[in-house]
Amino acid sequence: MTETIESAARDDDRRPPLEARRRPRVHRAWIVAAVTFVTIIGGAAFNSLPGLLIDPLHTEFRWSRGEIGLAVSIDMALYGLTAPFAAALMDRFGIRRVVAAALTMVAAGALASVWMTASWQLMIYWGLLVGLGTGSMAMAFAATVTNRWFVARRGLVTGILTAAGASGQLVFLPLCAWIVDEHGWRPASVTVALAALVVVPFVCLLMRDHPADVGLAPYGGAYVAKPAPARGAARRTVKVLFKAARTGPFWLLAGTFAICGASTNGLIRTHFVPSAHDHGMPITAAASLLAVIGIFDVIGTIFSGWLTDRFDARRLLAVYYALRGISLLFLPMLMGPDVRPPMVFFIVFYGLDWVATVPPTLALCREQYGEDSAIVFGWVLASHQVGAAVVAFLGGVARDVFGSYDVVWYASGALCAVAALMSLVIRRVRESSAAVPSG
């Protein structure tokens, strides 16, 4: 009898709390995902500005496009380099604290830029403050939320959260373009600062760090007790990097994602509007085209997440990069003062492919690196932003030197072809002796 009681007690110790056995009508994971979506939109508001402000800043301060591009490149590089450390900090201090602080930092940088008078201030406010803030809410944030709160539908949720950045672009690009055109660049900067601050209460009130905080199992999985806060976040982040860097898949993923960043954030998001303006297209019309990219990006990324749950992620990446490269080679021929059907076709086509690469890339990180995948993906994302930073800077320099962006479009198209080939070389875990075990 005593043994039976002791056995029952041990079973009770292994069971989740009573709340975890109840099945809510709407799983809390979807609420957390919704808050994450809104948060990424708020943080992404600032990413709508750089392409719109290159010409106004050049006109007002007489700064070269290379100088302005350097500030944008600092922002993009820090965005990427902060991401892996942010993922580890979320393990140490919790998602809510890190994200609330990041949003506040973005707002501070955007507001401070209103009073700048020198290009070094642009590099501090836009580059340093905003780069650190947005980097703490980068895709590693979405990866952390997905890994903790979801077991089923991870590919779909990754696609939805990745699309949040494009949704922010869709919401803020036309608005900011209109504000810049009608009232100048300073009110636009204040607008995105307020957008970041508005999201903070939602994070504090509705975000939860782990399903166990509310006595629930992750969506589609079994109850897991909340782990103790991980100390030594920076040490762990660097340790994971060195561990992953000994494997071939890491370098292939980092290389392909660097090209992804170069051909999206660094190229189109930063230089499409000024390039179109060079050909006589109004800024508002060019910004509206970028917003249309945002519409189809949402569709393409969610669909890519659905495909990632069903097909080989490596082949999906190869197809995405190949199609993107082909489209970029045609872009110089489509530029003109008016928005014509071929340009609309490019925008739709490119929008579907914009960040469709994220769900399969994250899936490959998860497959290769297990529990360390969020931090590894943060480092892969760092390479994405370094690639974006290089092209953001070199694109401005190329415009100053050649008087045209054509060479940048052609070079990026060729790089996408290289990325397609690299994607096919990545080996599956079961075939790769170099894969890093989780834990």
Side-chain angles (χ1 to χ4, degrees):
M1 181 68 177
T2 303
E3 292 178 357
T4 302
I5 294 174
E6 290 176 351
S7 176
R10 286 194 299 270
D11 289 342
D12 285 340
D13 289 340
R14 288 193 292 266
R15 291 174 185 168
L18 179 60
E19 294 87 344
R21 298 174 220 166
R22 297 172 184 162
R23 301 185 66 180
R25 187 171 300 175
V26 177
H27 197 286
R28 184 62 177 266
W30 294 108
I31 297 175
V32 172
V35 175
T36 304
F37 188 92
V38 173
T39 302
I40 294 173
I41 288 178
F46 190 86
N47 292 330
S48 304
L49 277 183
L52 300 177
L53 301 191
I54 288 178
D55 285 337
L57 292 177
H58 174 70
T59 300
E60 179 174 339
F61 297 109
R62 307 312 300 172
W63 298 335
S64 72
R65 290 178 175 83
E67 285 181 290
I68 301 170
L70 179 59
V72 176
S73 70
I74 293 172
D75 166 50
M76 290 182 174
L78 284 177
Y79 176 99
L81 293 172
T82 303
F85 292 95
L89 285 173
M90 288 175 190
D91 288 343
R92 174 66 180 89
F93 297 105
I95 296 174
R96 279 194 297 181
R97 292 179 182 178
V98 173
V99 172
L103 286 165
T104 304
M105 192 176 296
V106 170
L111 283 175
S113 68
V114 171
W115 293 281
M116 65 185 177
T117 57
S119 60
W120 66 264
Q121 294 170 325
L122 176 70
M123 294 173 193
I124 290 178
Y125 301 149
W126 276 23
L128 181 63
L129 289 178
V130 175
L132 291 174
T134 54
S136 298
M137 297 177 296
M139 297 174 198
F141 168 40
T144 300
V145 170
T146 304
N147 289 350
R148 289 187 186 182
W149 282 90
F150 291 87
V151 174
R153 302 289 187 269
R154 277 181 170 173
L156 177 62
V157 174
T158 300
I160 292 172
L161 295 182
T162 302
S167 299
Q169 176 178 302
L170 170 63
V171 170
F172 287 101
L173 255 176
L175 174 63
C176 289
W178 178 81
I179 293 174
V180 170
D181 197 42
E182 296 292 328
H183 305 286
W185 65 269
R186 288 179 177 85
S189 189
V190 172
T191 299
V192 298
L194 294 177
L197 288 176
V198 164
V199 182
V200 174
F202 290 93
V203 173
C204 294
L205 294 175
L206 299 176
M207 178 65 71
R208 292 295 180 270
D209 294 329
H210 195 279
D213 288 342
V214 288
L216 290 174
Y219 182 81
Y223 179 84
V224 178
K226 184 178 180 178
R231 298 185 181 276
R235 190 185 317 112
R236 182 190 172 204
T237 302
V238 175
K239 182 179 178 181
V240 169
L241 171 62
F242 282 115
K243 193 177 181 182
R246 294 197 298 268
T247 70
F250 173 80
W251 293 106
L252 290 169
L253 288 167
T256 56
F257 224 41
I259 294 173
C260 178
S263 57
T264 52
N265 292 352
L267 183 67
I268 297 294
R269 178 170 285 168
T270 305
H271 295 297
F272 178 81
V273 171
S275 177
H277 190 56
D278 283 347
H279 288 79
M281 185 179 294
I283 289 178
T284 50
S288 297
L289 288 176
L290 278 186
V292 173
I293 285 181
I295 296 174
F296 289 93
D297 181 18
V298 172
I299 298 170
T301 307
I302 294 175
F303 184 54
S304 176
W306 183 86
L307 290 174
T308 302
D309 286 332
R310 290 161 175 78
F311 298 101
D312 186 344
R314 301 168 306 150
R315 294 181 181 178
L316 288 176
L317 284 178
V319 171
Y320 296 157
Y321 285 122
L323 293 177
R324 181 184 300 178
I326 292 171
S327 67
L328 286 173
L329 294 177
F330 282 97
L331 181 57
M333 295 179 279
L334 306 179
M335 289 290 187
D338 303 316
V339 179
R340 298 177 180 175
M343 175 61 81
V344 174
F345 178 80
F346 168 84
I347 292 296
V348 172
F349 187 87
Y350 198 87
L352 291 172
D353 195 19
W354 178 271
V355 285
T357 55
V358 173
T361 300
L362 181 52
L364 288 170
C365 286
R366 191 180 297 121
E367 174 186 304
Q368 297 280 344
Y369 304 105
E371 294 177 2
D372 290 334
S373 61
I375 297 177
V376 173
F377 181 71
W379 285 113
V380 171
L381 176 61
S383 71
H384 180 282
Q385 293 307 113
V386 169
V390 170
V391 172
F393 172 62
L394 292 182
V397 172
R399 172 61 178 79
D400 289 333
V401 172
F402 300 109
S404 168
Y405 285 102
D406 288 359
V407 66
V408 185
W409 306 128
Y410 293 134
S412 297
L415 284 174
C416 287
V418 174
L421 295 175
M422 291 171 66
S423 301
L424 294 175
V425 177
I426 301 172
R427 293 179 292 174
R428 294 178 178 273
V429 167
R430 66 172 180 267
E431 299 170 352
S432 177
S433 59
V436 175
S438 62

PDB file of all heavy atoms in Angstrom, residues 76-112:
ATOM      1  N   MET A  76      22.194  48.293 -40.139  1.00  0.00           N
ATOM      2  CA  MET A  76      21.920  46.932 -40.594  1.00  0.00           C
ATOM      3  C   MET A  76      22.896  45.929 -39.994  1.00  0.00           C
ATOM      4  O   MET A  76      22.508  44.820 -39.603  1.00  0.00           O
ATOM      5  CB  MET A  76      21.966  46.870 -42.119  1.00  0.00           C
ATOM      6  CG  MET A  76      20.817  47.589 -42.793  1.00  0.00           C
ATOM      7  SD  MET A  76      20.882  47.455 -44.595  1.00  0.00           S
ATOM      8  CE  MET A  76      19.326  48.245 -45.040  1.00  0.00           C
ATOM      9  N   ALA A  77      24.177  46.318 -39.900  1.00  0.00           N
ATOM     10  CA  ALA A  77      25.171  45.410 -39.332  1.00  0.00           C
ATOM     11  C   ALA A  77      24.893  45.146 -37.851  1.00  0.00           C
ATOM     12  O   ALA A  77      24.927  43.992 -37.387  1.00  0.00           O
ATOM     13  CB  ALA A  77      26.571  45.980 -39.516  1.00  0.00           C
ATOM     14  N   LEU A  78      24.596  46.201 -37.093  1.00  0.00           N
ATOM     15  CA  LEU A  78      24.293  46.019 -35.673  1.00  0.00           C
ATOM     16  C   LEU A  78      22.992  45.258 -35.475  1.00  0.00           C
ATOM     17  O   LEU A  78      22.854  44.490 -34.526  1.00  0.00           O
ATOM     18  CB  LEU A  78      24.217  47.379 -34.975  1.00  0.00           C
ATOM     19  CG  LEU A  78      25.559  48.050 -34.699  1.00  0.00           C
ATOM     20  CD1 LEU A  78      25.354  49.423 -34.078  1.00  0.00           C
ATOM     21  CD2 LEU A  78      26.410  47.181 -33.773  1.00  0.00           C
ATOM     22  N   TYR A  79      22.042  45.479 -36.378  1.00  0.00           N
ATOM     23  CA  TYR A  79      20.791  44.712 -36.353  1.00  0.00           C
ATOM     24  C   TYR A  79      21.097  43.220 -36.374  1.00  0.00           C
ATOM     25  O   TYR A  79      20.545  42.436 -35.603  1.00  0.00           O
ATOM     26  CB  TYR A  79      19.949  45.114 -37.564  1.00  0.00           C
ATOM     27  CG  TYR A  79      18.659  44.352 -37.758  1.00  0.00           C
ATOM     28  CD1 TYR A  79      17.454  44.894 -37.347  1.00  0.00           C
ATOM     29  CD2 TYR A  79      18.637  43.114 -38.396  1.00  0.00           C
ATOM     30  CE1 TYR A  79      16.258  44.223 -37.547  1.00  0.00           C
ATOM     31  CE2 TYR A  79      17.450  42.432 -38.603  1.00  0.00           C
ATOM     32  CZ  TYR A  79      16.264  42.984 -38.174  1.00  0.00           C
ATOM     33  OH  TYR A  79      15.101  42.306 -38.376  1.00  0.00           O
ATOM     34  N   GLY A  80      22.010  42.846 -37.251  1.00  0.00           N
ATOM     35  CA  GLY A  80      22.346  41.424 -37.356  1.00  0.00           C
ATOM     36  C   GLY A  80      23.228  40.934 -36.230  1.00  0.00           C
ATOM     37  O   GLY A  80      23.001  39.861 -35.672  1.00  0.00           O
ATOM     38  N   LEU A  81      24.241  41.724 -35.842  1.00  0.00           N
ATOM     39  CA  LEU A  81      25.188  41.274 -34.819  1.00  0.00           C
ATOM     40  C   LEU A  81      24.564  41.243 -33.428  1.00  0.00           C
ATOM     41  O   LEU A  81      25.027  40.506 -32.549  1.00  0.00           O
ATOM     42  CB  LEU A  81      26.417  42.190 -34.823  1.00  0.00           C
ATOM     43  CG  LEU A  81      27.284  42.118 -36.093  1.00  0.00           C
ATOM     44  CD1 LEU A  81      28.345  43.202 -36.070  1.00  0.00           C
ATOM     45  CD2 LEU A  81      27.915  40.741 -36.229  1.00  0.00           C
ATOM     46  N   THR A  82      23.520  42.033 -33.206  1.00  0.00           N
ATOM     47  CA  THR A  82      22.835  42.031 -31.916  1.00  0.00           C
ATOM     48  C   THR A  82      21.940  40.807 -31.751  1.00  0.00           C
ATOM     49  O   THR A  82      21.738  40.320 -30.634  1.00  0.00           O
ATOM     50  CB  THR A  82      21.984  43.312 -31.766  1.00  0.00           C
ATOM     51  OG1 THR A  82      22.827  44.446 -31.908  1.00  0.00           O
ATOM     52  CG2 THR A  82      21.297  43.375 -30.409  1.00  0.00           C
ATOM     53  N   ALA A  83      21.412  40.308 -32.860  1.00  0.00           N
ATOM     54  CA  ALA A  83      20.392  39.265 -32.806  1.00  0.00           C
ATOM     55  C   ALA A  83      20.793  38.024 -32.001  1.00  0.00           C
ATOM     56  O   ALA A  83      20.027  37.571 -31.145  1.00  0.00           O
ATOM     57  CB  ALA A  83      19.975  38.864 -34.228  1.00  0.00           C
ATOM     58  N   PRO A  84      21.972  37.429 -32.225  1.00  0.00           N
ATOM     59  CA  PRO A  84      22.298  36.219 -31.460  1.00  0.00           C
ATOM     60  C   PRO A  84      22.437  36.486 -29.968  1.00  0.00           C
ATOM     61  O   PRO A  84      22.070  35.643 -29.143  1.00  0.00           O
ATOM     62  CB  PRO A  84      23.614  35.748 -32.077  1.00  0.00           C
ATOM     63  CG  PRO A  84      24.182  36.936 -32.774  1.00  0.00           C
ATOM     64  CD  PRO A  84      23.004  37.730 -33.229  1.00  0.00           C
ATOM     65  N   PHE A  85      22.967  37.669 -29.597  1.00  0.00           N
ATOM     66  CA  PHE A  85      23.085  38.003 -28.184  1.00  0.00           C
ATOM     67  C   PHE A  85      21.706  38.258 -27.582  1.00  0.00           C
ATOM     68  O   PHE A  85      21.445  37.943 -26.422  1.00  0.00           O
ATOM     69  CB  PHE A  85      23.988  39.221 -27.998  1.00  0.00           C
ATOM     70  CG  PHE A  85      25.427  38.949 -28.346  1.00  0.00           C
ATOM     71  CD1 PHE A  85      25.925  39.241 -29.591  1.00  0.00           C
ATOM     72  CD2 PHE A  85      26.275  38.372 -27.414  1.00  0.00           C
ATOM     73  CE1 PHE A  85      27.247  38.986 -29.915  1.00  0.00           C
ATOM     74  CE2 PHE A  85      27.604  38.114 -27.727  1.00  0.00           C
ATOM     75  CZ  PHE A  85      28.090  38.417 -28.980  1.00  0.00           C
ATOM     76  N   ALA A  86      20.804  38.851 -28.389  1.00  0.00           N
ATOM     77  CA  ALA A  86      19.451  39.093 -27.901  1.00  0.00           C
ATOM     78  C   ALA A  86      18.733  37.786 -27.602  1.00  0.00           C
ATOM     79  O   ALA A  86      18.003  37.676 -26.610  1.00  0.00           O
ATOM     80  CB  ALA A  86      18.664  39.901 -28.940  1.00  0.00           C
ATOM     81  N   ALA A  87      18.936  36.769 -28.444  1.00  0.00           N
ATOM     82  CA  ALA A  87      18.312  35.470 -28.195  1.00  0.00           C
ATOM     83  C   ALA A  87      18.789  34.889 -26.868  1.00  0.00           C
ATOM     84  O   ALA A  87      17.997  34.343 -26.088  1.00  0.00           O
ATOM     85  CB  ALA A  87      18.624  34.507 -29.342  1.00  0.00           C
ATOM     86  N   ALA A  88      20.098  35.021 -26.584  1.00  0.00           N
ATOM     87  CA  ALA A  88      20.622  34.527 -25.313  1.00  0.00           C
ATOM     88  C   ALA A  88      20.133  35.378 -24.147  1.00  0.00           C
ATOM     89  O   ALA A  88      19.847  34.861 -23.059  1.00  0.00           O
ATOM     90  CB  ALA A  88      22.151  34.512 -25.357  1.00  0.00           C
ATOM     91  N   LEU A  89      20.024  36.693 -24.339  1.00  0.00           N
ATOM     92  CA  LEU A  89      19.512  37.567 -23.283  1.00  0.00           C
ATOM     93  C   LEU A  89      18.061  37.243 -22.951  1.00  0.00           C
ATOM     94  O   LEU A  89      17.632  37.360 -21.796  1.00  0.00           O
ATOM     95  CB  LEU A  89      19.646  39.026 -23.709  1.00  0.00           C
ATOM     96  CG  LEU A  89      21.060  39.619 -23.671  1.00  0.00           C
ATOM     97  CD1 LEU A  89      21.066  41.010 -24.289  1.00  0.00           C
ATOM     98  CD2 LEU A  89      21.583  39.662 -22.243  1.00  0.00           C
ATOM     99  N   MET A  90      17.295  36.850 -23.959  1.00  0.00           N
ATOM    100  CA  MET A  90      15.909  36.447 -23.711  1.00  0.00           C
ATOM    101  C   MET A  90      15.851  35.191 -22.850  1.00  0.00           C
ATOM    102  O   MET A  90      14.944  35.021 -22.033  1.00  0.00           O
ATOM    103  CB  MET A  90      15.173  36.228 -25.037  1.00  0.00           C
ATOM    104  CG  MET A  90      14.867  37.512 -25.780  1.00  0.00           C
ATOM    105  SD  MET A  90      14.115  37.226 -27.401  1.00  0.00           S
ATOM    106  CE  MET A  90      14.190  38.889 -28.081  1.00  0.00           C
ATOM    107  N   ASP A  91      16.832  34.300 -23.020  1.00  0.00           N
ATOM    108  CA  ASP A  91      16.914  33.122 -22.158  1.00  0.00           C
ATOM    109  C   ASP A  91      17.273  33.525 -20.730  1.00  0.00           C
ATOM    110  O   ASP A  91      16.846  32.876 -19.773  1.00  0.00           O
ATOM    111  CB  ASP A  91      17.974  32.143 -22.684  1.00  0.00           C
ATOM    112  CG  ASP A  91      17.526  31.440 -23.957  1.00  0.00           C
ATOM    113  OD1 ASP A  91      16.311  31.452 -24.236  1.00  0.00           O
ATOM    114  OD2 ASP A  91      18.387  30.887 -24.658  1.00  0.00           O
ATOM    115  N   ARG A  92      18.039  34.596 -20.583  1.00  0.00           N
ATOM    116  CA  ARG A  92      18.501  35.012 -19.255  1.00  0.00           C
ATOM    117  C   ARG A  92      17.496  35.912 -18.537  1.00  0.00           C
ATOM    118  O   ARG A  92      17.168  35.703 -17.370  1.00  0.00           O
ATOM    119  CB  ARG A  92      19.847  35.748 -19.394  1.00  0.00           C
ATOM    120  CG  ARG A  92      20.376  36.363 -18.105  1.00  0.00           C
ATOM    121  CD  ARG A  92      20.731  35.288 -17.093  1.00  0.00           C
ATOM    122  NE  ARG A  92      21.245  35.876 -15.865  1.00  0.00           N
ATOM    123  CZ  ARG A  92      20.491  36.237 -14.826  1.00  0.00           C
ATOM    124  NH1 ARG A  92      19.180  36.081 -14.879  1.00  0.00           N
ATOM    125  NH2 ARG A  92      21.049  36.761 -13.748  1.00  0.00           N
ATOM    126  N   PHE A  93      16.987  36.939 -19.225  1.00  0.00           N
ATOM    127  CA  PHE A  93      16.143  37.942 -18.570  1.00  0.00           C
ATOM    128  C   PHE A  93      14.675  37.869 -18.971  1.00  0.00           C
ATOM    129  O   PHE A  93      13.842  38.547 -18.369  1.00  0.00           O
ATOM    130  CB  PHE A  93      16.670  39.345 -18.884  1.00  0.00           C
ATOM    131  CG  PHE A  93      18.053  39.596 -18.358  1.00  0.00           C
ATOM    132  CD1 PHE A  93      19.140  39.618 -19.211  1.00  0.00           C
ATOM    133  CD2 PHE A  93      18.265  39.800 -17.008  1.00  0.00           C
ATOM    134  CE1 PHE A  93      20.423  39.852 -18.737  1.00  0.00           C
ATOM    135  CE2 PHE A  93      19.543  40.031 -16.517  1.00  0.00           C
ATOM    136  CZ  PHE A  93      20.624  40.050 -17.380  1.00  0.00           C
ATOM    137  N   GLY A  94      14.354  37.082 -19.972  1.00  0.00           N
ATOM    138  CA  GLY A  94      12.966  36.966 -20.404  1.00  0.00           C
ATOM    139  C   GLY A  94      12.679  37.814 -21.633  1.00  0.00           C
ATOM    140  O   GLY A  94      13.309  38.852 -21.867  1.00  0.00           O
ATOM    141  N   ILE A  95      11.718  37.363 -22.421  1.00  0.00           N
ATOM    142  CA  ILE A  95      11.380  38.033 -23.672  1.00  0.00           C
ATOM    143  C   ILE A  95      10.828  39.427 -23.409  1.00  0.00           C
ATOM    144  O   ILE A  95      11.196  40.397 -24.072  1.00  0.00           O
ATOM    145  CB  ILE A  95      10.344  37.198 -24.466  1.00  0.00           C
ATOM    146  CG1 ILE A  95      10.953  35.852 -24.871  1.00  0.00           C
ATOM    147  CG2 ILE A  95       9.874  37.945 -25.697  1.00  0.00           C
ATOM    148  CD1 ILE A  95       9.967  34.907 -25.521  1.00  0.00           C
ATOM    149  N   ARG A  96       9.937  39.556 -22.427  1.00  0.00           N
ATOM    150  CA  ARG A  96       9.273  40.836 -22.192  1.00  0.00           C
ATOM    151  C   ARG A  96      10.261  41.966 -21.908  1.00  0.00           C
ATOM    152  O   ARG A  96      10.178  43.053 -22.478  1.00  0.00           O
ATOM    153  CB  ARG A  96       8.274  40.715 -21.035  1.00  0.00           C
ATOM    154  CG  ARG A  96       6.952  40.103 -21.452  1.00  0.00           C
ATOM    155  CD  ARG A  96       5.905  40.315 -20.403  1.00  0.00           C
ATOM    156  NE  ARG A  96       6.238  39.653 -19.141  1.00  0.00           N
ATOM    157  CZ  ARG A  96       5.457  39.684 -18.063  1.00  0.00           C
ATOM    158  NH1 ARG A  96       4.329  40.368 -18.097  1.00  0.00           N
ATOM    159  NH2 ARG A  96       5.788  39.049 -16.966  1.00  0.00           N
ATOM    160  N   ARG A  97      11.191  41.719 -21.005  1.00  0.00           N
ATOM    161  CA  ARG A  97      12.131  42.769 -20.622  1.00  0.00           C
ATOM    162  C   ARG A  97      13.012  43.200 -21.790  1.00  0.00           C
ATOM    163  O   ARG A  97      13.226  44.397 -22.026  1.00  0.00           O
ATOM    164  CB  ARG A  97      13.014  42.285 -19.470  1.00  0.00           C
ATOM    165  CG  ARG A  97      12.283  42.091 -18.159  1.00  0.00           C
ATOM    166  CD  ARG A  97      13.249  41.598 -17.100  1.00  0.00           C
ATOM    167  NE  ARG A  97      12.577  41.355 -15.834  1.00  0.00           N
ATOM    168  CZ  ARG A  97      13.192  40.878 -14.750  1.00  0.00           C
ATOM    169  NH1 ARG A  97      14.481  40.579 -14.802  1.00  0.00           N
ATOM    170  NH2 ARG A  97      12.528  40.698 -13.629  1.00  0.00           N
ATOM    171  N   VAL A  98      13.521  42.227 -22.514  1.00  0.00           N
ATOM    172  CA  VAL A  98      14.429  42.544 -23.620  1.00  0.00           C
ATOM    173  C   VAL A  98      13.702  43.313 -24.718  1.00  0.00           C
ATOM    174  O   VAL A  98      14.206  44.329 -25.226  1.00  0.00           O
ATOM    175  CB  VAL A  98      15.049  41.247 -24.186  1.00  0.00           C
ATOM    176  CG1 VAL A  98      15.853  41.541 -25.449  1.00  0.00           C
ATOM    177  CG2 VAL A  98      15.938  40.589 -23.141  1.00  0.00           C
ATOM    178  N   VAL A  99      12.504  42.871 -25.074  1.00  0.00           N
ATOM    179  CA  VAL A  99      11.783  43.511 -26.180  1.00  0.00           C
ATOM    180  C   VAL A  99      11.294  44.905 -25.788  1.00  0.00           C
ATOM    181  O   VAL A  99      11.364  45.846 -26.597  1.00  0.00           O
ATOM    182  CB  VAL A  99      10.612  42.613 -26.630  1.00  0.00           C
ATOM    183  CG1 VAL A  99       9.740  43.340 -27.650  1.00  0.00           C
ATOM    184  CG2 VAL A  99      11.147  41.327 -27.231  1.00  0.00           C
ATOM    185  N   ALA A 100      10.814  45.081 -24.562  1.00  0.00           N
ATOM    186  CA  ALA A 100      10.369  46.404 -24.119  1.00  0.00           C
ATOM    187  C   ALA A 100      11.537  47.396 -24.134  1.00  0.00           C
ATOM    188  O   ALA A 100      11.388  48.556 -24.566  1.00  0.00           O
ATOM    189  CB  ALA A 100       9.755  46.318 -22.724  1.00  0.00           C
ATOM    190  N   ALA A 101      12.701  46.963 -23.671  1.00  0.00           N
ATOM    191  CA  ALA A 101      13.880  47.837 -23.701  1.00  0.00           C
ATOM    192  C   ALA A 101      14.287  48.160 -25.135  1.00  0.00           C
ATOM    193  O   ALA A 101      14.682  49.295 -25.445  1.00  0.00           O
ATOM    194  CB  ALA A 101      15.033  47.167 -22.960  1.00  0.00           C
ATOM    195  N   ALA A 102      14.181  47.175 -26.029  1.00  0.00           N
ATOM    196  CA  ALA A 102      14.561  47.388 -27.427  1.00  0.00           C
ATOM    197  C   ALA A 102      13.656  48.409 -28.110  1.00  0.00           C
ATOM    198  O   ALA A 102      14.125  49.286 -28.848  1.00  0.00           O
ATOM    199  CB  ALA A 102      14.525  46.060 -28.180  1.00  0.00           C
ATOM    200  N   LEU A 103      12.355  48.312 -27.877  1.00  0.00           N
ATOM    201  CA  LEU A 103      11.418  49.268 -28.468  1.00  0.00           C
ATOM    202  C   LEU A 103      11.701  50.692 -27.989  1.00  0.00           C
ATOM    203  O   LEU A 103      11.641  51.652 -28.759  1.00  0.00           O
ATOM    204  CB  LEU A 103       9.984  48.873 -28.116  1.00  0.00           C
ATOM    205  CG  LEU A 103       9.415  47.654 -28.851  1.00  0.00           C
ATOM    206  CD1 LEU A 103       8.145  47.161 -28.161  1.00  0.00           C
ATOM    207  CD2 LEU A 103       9.130  47.985 -30.310  1.00  0.00           C
ATOM    208  N   THR A 104      12.012  50.811 -26.706  1.00  0.00           N
ATOM    209  CA  THR A 104      12.336  52.125 -26.155  1.00  0.00           C
ATOM    210  C   THR A 104      13.596  52.699 -26.797  1.00  0.00           C
ATOM    211  O   THR A 104      13.689  53.897 -27.095  1.00  0.00           O
ATOM    212  CB  THR A 104      12.525  52.023 -24.629  1.00  0.00           C
ATOM    213  OG1 THR A 104      11.343  51.460 -24.042  1.00  0.00           O
ATOM    214  CG2 THR A 104      12.780  53.397 -24.022  1.00  0.00           C
ATOM    215  N   MET A 105      14.578  51.840 -27.060  1.00  0.00           N
ATOM    216  CA  MET A 105      15.820  52.288 -27.685  1.00  0.00           C
ATOM    217  C   MET A 105      15.584  52.762 -29.118  1.00  0.00           C
ATOM    218  O   MET A 105      16.149  53.775 -29.562  1.00  0.00           O
ATOM    219  CB  MET A 105      16.846  51.144 -27.665  1.00  0.00           C
ATOM    220  CG  MET A 105      18.254  51.556 -28.026  1.00  0.00           C
ATOM    221  SD  MET A 105      19.428  50.184 -27.870  1.00  0.00           S
ATOM    222  CE  MET A 105      19.325  49.885 -26.105  1.00  0.00           C
ATOM    223  N   VAL A 106      14.737  52.052 -29.853  1.00  0.00           N
ATOM    224  CA  VAL A 106      14.397  52.462 -31.218  1.00  0.00           C
ATOM    225  C   VAL A 106      13.735  53.836 -31.206  1.00  0.00           C
ATOM    226  O   VAL A 106      14.077  54.731 -32.006  1.00  0.00           O
ATOM    227  CB  VAL A 106      13.466  51.424 -31.877  1.00  0.00           C
ATOM    228  CG1 VAL A 106      12.903  51.967 -33.194  1.00  0.00           C
ATOM    229  CG2 VAL A 106      14.210  50.129 -32.142  1.00  0.00           C
ATOM    230  N   ALA A 107      12.784  54.029 -30.286  1.00  0.00           N
ATOM    231  CA  ALA A 107      12.090  55.312 -30.197  1.00  0.00           C
ATOM    232  C   ALA A 107      13.062  56.440 -29.856  1.00  0.00           C
ATOM    233  O   ALA A 107      12.987  57.543 -30.423  1.00  0.00           O
ATOM    234  CB  ALA A 107      10.982  55.233 -29.149  1.00  0.00           C
ATOM    235  N   ALA A 108      14.005  56.176 -28.947  1.00  0.00           N
ATOM    236  CA  ALA A 108      14.976  57.198 -28.555  1.00  0.00           C
ATOM    237  C   ALA A 108      15.856  57.611 -29.735  1.00  0.00           C
ATOM    238  O   ALA A 108      16.101  58.801 -29.969  1.00  0.00           O
ATOM    239  CB  ALA A 108      15.841  56.682 -27.407  1.00  0.00           C
ATOM    240  N   GLY A 109      16.334  56.628 -30.504  1.00  0.00           N
ATOM    241  CA  GLY A 109      17.166  56.940 -31.656  1.00  0.00           C
ATOM    242  C   GLY A 109      16.416  57.725 -32.721  1.00  0.00           C
ATOM    243  O   GLY A 109      16.951  58.681 -33.305  1.00  0.00           O
ATOM    244  N   ALA A 110      15.173  57.331 -32.993  1.00  0.00           N
ATOM    245  CA  ALA A 110      14.377  58.020 -34.013  1.00  0.00           C
ATOM    246  C   ALA A 110      14.073  59.457 -33.594  1.00  0.00           C
ATOM    247  O   ALA A 110      14.144  60.386 -34.409  1.00  0.00           O
ATOM    248  CB  ALA A 110      13.087  57.251 -34.270  1.00  0.00           C
ATOM    249  N   LEU A 111      13.754  59.675 -32.312  1.00  0.00           N
ATOM    250  CA  LEU A 111      13.458  61.025 -31.835  1.00  0.00           C
ATOM    251  C   LEU A 111      14.703  61.901 -31.825  1.00  0.00           C
ATOM    252  O   LEU A 111      14.663  63.072 -32.204  1.00  0.00           O
ATOM    253  CB  LEU A 111      12.854  60.964 -30.429  1.00  0.00           C
ATOM    254  CG  LEU A 111      11.389  60.540 -30.324  1.00  0.00           C
ATOM    255  CD1 LEU A 111      10.972  60.412 -28.863  1.00  0.00           C
ATOM    256  CD2 LEU A 111      10.485  61.529 -31.056  1.00  0.00           C
ATOM    257  N   ALA A 112      15.836  61.331 -31.387  1.00  0.00           N
ATOM    258  CA  ALA A 112      17.068  62.112 -31.323  1.00  0.00           C
ATOM    259  C   ALA A 112      17.504  62.592 -32.702  1.00  0.00           C
ATOM    260  O   ALA A 112      18.101  63.669 -32.835  1.00  0.00           O
ATOM    261  CB  ALA A 112      18.175  61.287 -30.681  1.00  0.00           C
TER     262      ALA A 112
END
